[in-house]
Amino acid sequence: MQNRGGACPFLNSVTLLIINLTFKTLGGSYSNDSVLFHIASEETSPNRSTMRRRQTTDSLHSSTDPSEGREKLRLKQEVGLISGVSLIAGTMIGSGIFMSPEWVLHHMGSPASSLLMWAACGLLAMFGALSYAELGTVIRESGGEYIYILRIFGSFPAFLFAYTSVILVRPAGLAAVCLSFAEYAVAPFYPGCSSPQVVIKCTAAACILVLTIINCLNVRLAMSVMNVFTAAKLLALLVIVVGGLVLLAKGQTQSFQNAFQGTNAGIGTIGVAFYQGLWSYDGWNNLNYVTEELKNPEVTLPRAVIIAIPLVTCLYLLVNISYFAAMAPSELLTSGAVAVTWGNKVLANWAWLISLSVALSTFGSSNGTFFSGSRVCYIAAREGHMPDILSMAHVRCLTPSPALLFTSAMSLIMIISGNFTSIVTYFRSQLSSP
C-alpha cells in the first residue's frame, strides 16, 4: 500500500478492514486515488483472505482491463445544470435572509441605503463567482480554493488551507447551520420559553447524521434532496415577496418616504454592513468544490453561476422591500427575528409557515455545506495533504464516504462542545482572519 498520507500501512490496513465491514451493506469495498481495495477469499485458497490491488485512472466509470486485471474508478458526473443551480442557491439561502436584514439596517441607518448594500453584496458575490467560474473551467478539478492554491502557489500554502478548512472552518460552518435548523425545528414544541440546549444539540446531531447517510448512499440522492429543499425555500421567499407587493399595492409605503434619511456614511459602518450582508451570500463558490462531478463543467459551471446568483440577489432585494412594507425601520430593528415578525403581522394564523420555512431553508443549506465541504477533505487526501484513507471512495456508491464521515465527526464534536453563538463567532473570526 502506498503511504502518501503519512499514516502507517498497518493502521491503514486495519482501518480499511473496519470500513469494509461497517459498510458491507453498501457493497463492502472502497477505493482511493491510487489503490482499489476488496477483501475477499480466493477460490484457489478458500482459507486465505487476500487484498487485491487495482490501479485507478481518470476514468469516470468502472471498467475492467482483462489483460492487466485492473479496474478504473472515479466519482461519477452526477451534477447537472439544475442541480448546480440548486447547490449554489440552496446553500446561499439559509437563515441569513431571515435574520441579517436587521443588522444591515442597523449599520446603514436607512431603508434605501440598506437595499443598496444588499445589491452591492450580490454584485460582489457575482464578481467572485464569475472569477471562480473561470478558474473552474481552466483547472477542472474539485476542491475549490484548495486546489487553486495548490496548482498556483504550491504545496505548503495549500496544506495550511486544507487543515484549516477541513478541521476548523467547514465543520464549524456546518455545525452552526445545523444548530440554527434545530432551534427553529424544536421551537414550536416549547411555546413561550427557550428550548433546552440538550434538545437543540440532539436535533442538530440528528440532522448531521441524516445528512451523512444521505450523502454516503448516493450523490444523485443528495442532489435530489438539495433540489427539493431549494424549491421549498424559493417558494417560501416568493410568499414573502407576494405579501410585500400586496402591502405596497394597499399603500403601505411609509418606510420608503425620505428613504435615505439617517444614512451612515462612515467607512467602518459600511464595512460591517458588508460583512453582515455577505453572510447571507455565503455559498456562491460551492460548485467549484465539485467540478469533477459536473456534467460538461465548462458549460454547466458558468451557466449555473449566471442563473443562481442574480436569482438570489433579486429575491433578497424583494424580500427586504417586503419587510419594509410590513414594518417601520424602528420596528424592524427591534424585531429579533425579522421573518417571524413579518409572518405575525401579515400571515396572522399562518405565521407558523415562516418558522417551518426557516427550518427547511437551513436544512437544505446544511446539505449543500456538507456536500461541498467533504470534497475538500477528499481532494486534500488525494493530493497527500490528509491521511490516505480519506481519499477513498465507495466502489458501488461512488461517494467519498470516509471524508463524509470525518467531516460529520468534526461537526458533531463542535456541536457537543459549543452552542450556536460561540460557533458562529468562531466561524466568522476564522473567515475574517488573514
Side-chain angles (χ1 to χ4, degrees), residues 351-373:
W352 58 270
L353 286 174
I354 298 298
S355 296
L356 176 62
S357 300
V358 177
L360 294 176
S361 180
T362 49
F363 183 85
S365 182
S366 62
N367 183 42
T369 302
F370 186 63
F371 182 84
S372 60

Side-chain angles (χ1 to χ4, degrees), residues 131-132 134-136 138-139 141 144-158 383 385:
S131 300
Y132 268 54
E134 184 175 5
L135 280 171
V138 174
I139 305 175
E141 298 179 72
E145 295 95 342
Y146 165 75
I147 202 68
Y148 304 147
I149 293 173
L150 178 64
R151 299 296 178 236
I152 297 171
F153 298 106
S155 180
F156 182 68
E383 297 295 332
H385 287 159

